[in-house]
Amino acid sequence: MKFSSNGLALLTLIGSTAAFTPSSVIAPRQSSSSSKLYVQMEAAPAKALPKIEKLKIASNYLRDPLKDQLQTEEIGISKDAYQIMKYHGSYQQNNREKRGPKDYQFMLRLKQPAGELPPDLYRLLDDLSLNHGQGDLRATTRQCFQMHGILKGDLKTVISSIMNIGSSTVGACGDVSRNVMTTPAPFVSSDYEYAREYSKCFGQLFRPLSSAFSEIWLDGEKAVSVETWAKEVEHHNIDEKMLYDNGRGIIIPDATEPIYGDQYLPRKFKIGVTVPGDNSLDIYTNDIGVVVITNDAGELEGFNVMVGGGMGRLHNKETTFARAADHMGFVPKDDIWEVMKAILAAQRDHGNRDVRANARMKYLVHTLGIEKFTKLVESYCGIEIQPWRAMADWKYNDWMGWWEQGDGKLFYGQHIDNGRVKDEGDFRLKSALRVLVDKYNLHSILSPTQSIIFRDIDPKDKEGIEQVLREHGIAPIEEVDPNARLAMACPALPLCGLAQTEAERIMPSYIERMRALLTKMNLDDEEILMRMTGCPNGCARPYMAELAFVGDGAKSYQVWLGGSPVLTRTAYPFMSKMDTDKLEETMEPILAMFIQQRQEFEAFGDFCHRLGADAISAYTQSYTLGSVKA
């Protein structure tokens, strides 16, 4: 199956009697939908496929050249094999701080829909990281663990172990649907239970079907255990829903990948699920955001659906940008399967495969506009999208500390600085987590803010859990700086090949310096949601933060301001190339203006959004350092 590489092509609004023709080879059949308006996308003259698209086709459904490259004596794999390796959940990395020949190693990322981590899987990951990795684990911003430092010769052992225990790395990376996120709070209530359930459903619905994964890592055998989440949602008959063909072009004539085809998607694809009011997962940063809607009796009615979010951008390229998702509308529960498939099919067929920097679905939604994009989706599914349902206002909570679960049990959120689970001196977090899992057999959930939540805790075990943490040098949540709890940073140097400067390793010092500045200006009670990345790709979702530092060179960052404290809008670029030594000099004038001109109870991000870059810049130019305190 060869999809059109022309991206958007020519867009024309036509009347309701005309047919819809997408730019792929497969055209949806004449629509009987009640929609009154369609979008026609006329195919531009055929172009040569970009190299990455040719590579995906030639890979024989994600086998080649990876399969052969894994058998060589080389410590690394070829560039082409590396691109295919991503679909198997791994990135080839090199320690950029070591001189001499490339010292290749691999980062491996798990697929954990809803972030759930059974105790046996945690024990396995802990052991694998010690025996085959660099000794630590890292919680990502998409609710899954990743391991660093795996050697090529150990990959099969590590991946097969993970697959055989009922987990997976398939689809954790690559141009497919990534790990499906949800609110991490394990409340025992119908809305939260639906959010967890449908996160697993969507993860299963959009899994790649190629047998390449079992062939390469399990020698063609079936895994000893079916994925945990697949068993939990098998009553939904996901495969039947996936393969159902409504004749409108969602399903394509490909026996191996009837949803994806042999080119898969133009770029990665992200889905998040939550409940009204709970934006602990940055729902607006996803390609598809899904909000559970229940009636007064707690019964599922359907879902509010948003589309077109995404963080990645490039410096000095105005055609790339971060974008918050648009509200598309409400979808009844029985229709959600076809609508979700239709959204993905619209991106598959019309996403920009020519220019990879513009290949995310956010650019398709941005160019068409939400109304035309909705019509495009409707033409694939034959279902009219209903108006967005009113719901509770968004709030942000990291769910750290102790909470009542709703069934007599407790859950406990353990903050992890930038997601790094390690032992370092008297701080022995990794050992503490293993003791807790072994002693209490705790199930856990990784949070969207790189931390971990233990659920189903017997109240009588609370004191014992706190004692274990104290004995391992872990501060109680009350002693953690609120700004550290709010903060996130990507790994960046030394292993990320895209990093232009530091992030994870320097973020703690930025938090300390900001805390000292806030104290100096009598703003000790102020909480500011800060994020940092070592490059503009946005893995730590910096463009949603109230204050963000985006690496643009050695010891240099862009400063972004004005994101929402409840994560509903993007920030704006305020300053380019702030030298890391000038953090205080840069931020003091902005905080001074905040002191003098904020409205009552106004958050820092809301203040910066209201005033705008020009007004703040004008104020800072005339400001005298040390002249203002609250």
Side-chain angles (χ1 to χ4, degrees):
M1 178 66 183
K2 307 285 191 295
F3 301 114
S4 168
S5 65
N6 64 291
L8 294 177
L10 178 65
L11 303 173
T12 316
L13 284 178
I14 60 178
S16 60
T17 58
F20 172 87
T21 307
S23 60
S24 65
V25 174
I26 302 299
R29 296 175 185 172
Q30 185 77 25
S31 174
S32 59
S33 165
S34 60
S35 299
K36 297 182 180 180
L37 199 61
Y38 294 87
V39 180
Q40 180 167 305
M41 304 179 76
E42 299 173 7
K47 295 181 181 179
L49 287 173
K51 181 180 178 181
I52 187 67
E53 297 297 324
K54 292 179 181 178
L55 177 61
K56 287 188 276 187
I57 295 169
S59 74
N60 187 21
Y61 298 99
L62 310 178
R63 292 175 175 84
D64 305 322
L66 176 62
K67 193 171 184 179
D68 290 339
Q69 283 284 305
L70 289 170
Q71 305 304 316
T72 70
E73 296 298 319
E74 301 293 326
I75 63 170
I77 57 178
S78 69
K79 290 182 179 180
D80 286 351
Y82 168 48
Q83 292 299 326
I84 301 305
M85 184 67 182
K86 293 178 182 179
Y87 294 81
H88 296 251
S90 183
Y91 282 74
Q92 181 172 259
Q93 297 182 326
N94 172 59
N95 189 330
R96 295 165 57 186
E97 294 178 343
K98 285 187 177 180
R99 298 187 179 276
K102 298 283 188 181
D103 184 20
Y104 288 119
Q105 55 184 280
F106 291 82
M107 178 276 284
L108 187 67
R109 184 181 296 155
L110 268 69
K111 180 179 181 180
Q112 296 170 235
E116 295 187 359
L117 192 71
D120 286 347
L121 178 56
Y122 183 83
R123 293 186 188 101
L124 175 65
L125 295 178
D126 187 55
D127 290 342
L128 290 173
S129 69
L130 290 171
N131 297 328
H132 301 287
Q134 66 179 23
D136 58 13
L137 293 168
R138 194 174 196 280
T140 76
T141 59
R142 289 201 70 79
Q143 293 185 272
C144 56
F145 265 132
Q146 62 188 36
M147 297 170 50
H148 293 265
I150 303 170
L151 299 181
K152 176 181 167 182
D154 292 336
L155 279 169
K156 191 167 185 175
T157 297
V158 175
I159 294 177
S160 63
S161 299
I162 291 169
M163 294 175 76
N164 280 324
I165 205 171
S167 189
S168 178
T169 64
V170 175
C173 316
D175 297 341
V176 290
S177 177
R178 300 288 188 90
N179 197 49
V180 180
M181 298 173 68
T182 192
T183 164
F187 289 118
V188 180
S189 62
S190 63
D191 51 353
Y192 277 87
E193 288 168 353
Y194 284 129
R196 292 190 288 272
E197 178 181 357
Y198 277 85
S199 296
K200 300 167 191 173
C201 286
F202 299 146
Q204 195 68 359
L205 181 69
F206 293 132
R207 74 192 191 278
L209 296 180
S210 172
S211 60
F213 310 106
S214 60
E215 289 175 16
I216 292 175
W217 307 113
L218 298 174
D219 296 322
E221 301 295 325
K222 288 186 177 181
V224 173
S225 179
V226 176
E227 288 109 333
T228 306
W229 58 88
K231 290 186 287 188
E232 292 173 353
V233 298
E234 61 184 358
H235 61 283
H236 282 284
N237 299 315
I238 303 293
D239 286 1
E240 180 181 328
K241 290 178 170 65
M242 176 201 289
L243 299 176
Y244 170 73
D245 187 358
N246 66 6
R248 293 173 173 270
I250 294 176
I251 300 298
I252 57 179
D254 189 304
T256 301
E257 296 283 12
I259 289 283
Y260 287 121
D262 60 3
Q263 283 179 250
Y264 295 85
L265 296 179
R267 280 299 300 272
K268 58 189 173 184
F269 197 87
K270 298 181 177 180
I271 299 172
V273 185
T274 191
V275 304
D278 184 346
N279 195 19
S280 55
L281 72 161
D282 260 329
I283 189 76
Y284 286 89
T285 64
N286 290 277
D287 292 271
I288 307 178
V290 180
V291 187
V292 169
I293 301 296
T294 58
N295 60 24
D296 292 341
E299 300 166 332
L300 180 64
E301 292 191 341
F303 306 86
N304 275 343
V305 177
M306 59 182 76
V307 293
M311 293 287 95
R313 51 176 286 275
L314 297 174
H315 288 319
N316 304 316
K317 274 193 174 288
E318 297 301 320
T319 55
T320 66
F321 45 83
R323 188 178 193 277
D326 291 323
H327 293 176
M328 188 170 77
F330 174 80
V331 178
K333 62 181 181 180
D334 292 338
D335 293 335
I336 192 62
W337 310 99
E338 284 301 288
V339 171
M340 294 292 285
K341 287 163 57 181
I343 296 170
L344 185 138
Q347 163 65 356
R348 177 196 67 201
D349 294 349
H350 303 295
N352 190 339
R353 293 181 186 264
D354 279 340
V355 183
R356 196 159 172 82
N358 295 124
R360 287 290 298 275
M361 195 176 79
K362 63 181 176 180
Y363 297 108
L364 180 61
V365 177
H366 175 79
T367 303
L368 286 177
I370 187 59
E371 291 184 6
K372 291 180 183 177
F373 181 81
T374 302
K375 295 303 177 186
L376 176 59
V377 171
E378 289 173 341
S379 70
Y380 276 95
C381 62
I383 297 166
E384 187 168 8
I385 306 300
Q386 298 178 22
W388 179 272
R389 292 274 186 96
M391 60 185 202
D393 291 339
W394 293 113
K395 294 181 181 179
Y396 171 78
N397 197 318
D398 62 4
W399 303 116
M400 294 293 99
W402 289 101
W403 297 79
E404 292 185 0
Q405 200 166 271
D407 59 351
K409 299 289 184 69
L410 304 174
F411 70 85
Y412 179 75
Q414 173 59 54
H415 170 74
I416 303 173
D417 274 342
N418 302 311
R420 189 67 65 177
V421 179
K422 61 183 178 180
D423 287 350
E424 191 173 80
D426 294 335
F427 177 82
R428 296 182 294 134
L429 177 63
K430 193 165 187 285
S431 294
L433 298 186
R434 181 60 182 260
V435 170
L436 292 177
V437 171
D438 284 346
K439 184 174 182 178
Y440 299 103
N441 203 39
L442 294 177
H443 288 252
S444 56
I445 303 166
L446 294 186
S447 83
T449 50
Q450 304 171 293
S451 293
I452 193 167
I453 292 172
F454 289 110
R455 67 178 192 183
D456 301 329
I457 299 173
D458 192 313
K460 68 179 176 58
D461 294 330
K462 178 181 177 181
E463 185 176 341
I465 289 171
E466 291 178 335
Q467 181 177 347
V468 169
L469 294 171
R470 284 194 303 270
E471 290 172 350
H472 288 79
I474 313 303
I477 194 65
E478 295 80 13
E479 296 178 15
V480 177
D481 188 329
N483 287 333
R485 287 176 58 176
L486 291 168
M488 290 200 299
C490 70
L493 296 173
L495 295 178
C496 178
L498 299 175
Q500 299 178 26
T501 190
E502 297 281 2
E504 177 186 339
R505 295 191 299 190
I506 202 173
M507 186 58 158
S509 68
Y510 265 53
I511 294 169
E512 292 173 2
R513 291 166 67 185
M514 281 295 297
R515 173 53 61 196
L517 180 59
L518 289 168
T519 299
K520 172 186 170 184
M521 301 183 75
N522 296 329
L523 288 171
D524 257 334
D525 293 335
E526 206 60 44
E527 298 181 6
I528 300 176
L529 196 156
M530 293 181 282
R531 293 175 178 175
M532 175 182 283
T533 56
C535 82
N537 281 344
C539 294
R541 302 190 290 273
Y543 309 112
M544 301 299 286
E546 295 181 277
L547 170 62
F549 305 100
V550 178
D552 67 350
K555 298 184 179 180
S556 175
Y557 297 87
Q558 291 183 344
V559 178
W560 289 64
L561 300 173
S564 166
V566 295
L567 302 167
T568 54
R569 64 169 179 263
T570 56
Y572 55 80
F574 171 73
M575 181 180 182
S576 62
K577 294 194 175 301
M578 180 197 78
D579 187 284
T580 189
D581 294 331
K582 296 188 176 181
L583 172 65
E584 292 82 359
E585 179 182 323
T586 301
M587 292 306 304
E588 183 182 323
I590 302 173
L591 292 171
M593 188 180 187
F594 177 55
I595 290 169
Q596 293 182 329
Q597 300 186 27
R598 73 185 298 188
Q599 296 176 349
E600 189 176 13
F601 306 123
E602 188 173 33
F604 179 76
D606 291 338
F607 166 81
C608 293
H609 175 72
R610 177 172 61 84
L611 270 294
D614 290 343
I616 295 175
S617 180
Y619 179 95
T620 60
Q621 289 173 17
S622 61
Y623 176 76
T624 301
L625 291 174
S627 61
V628 174
K629 292 184 179 181

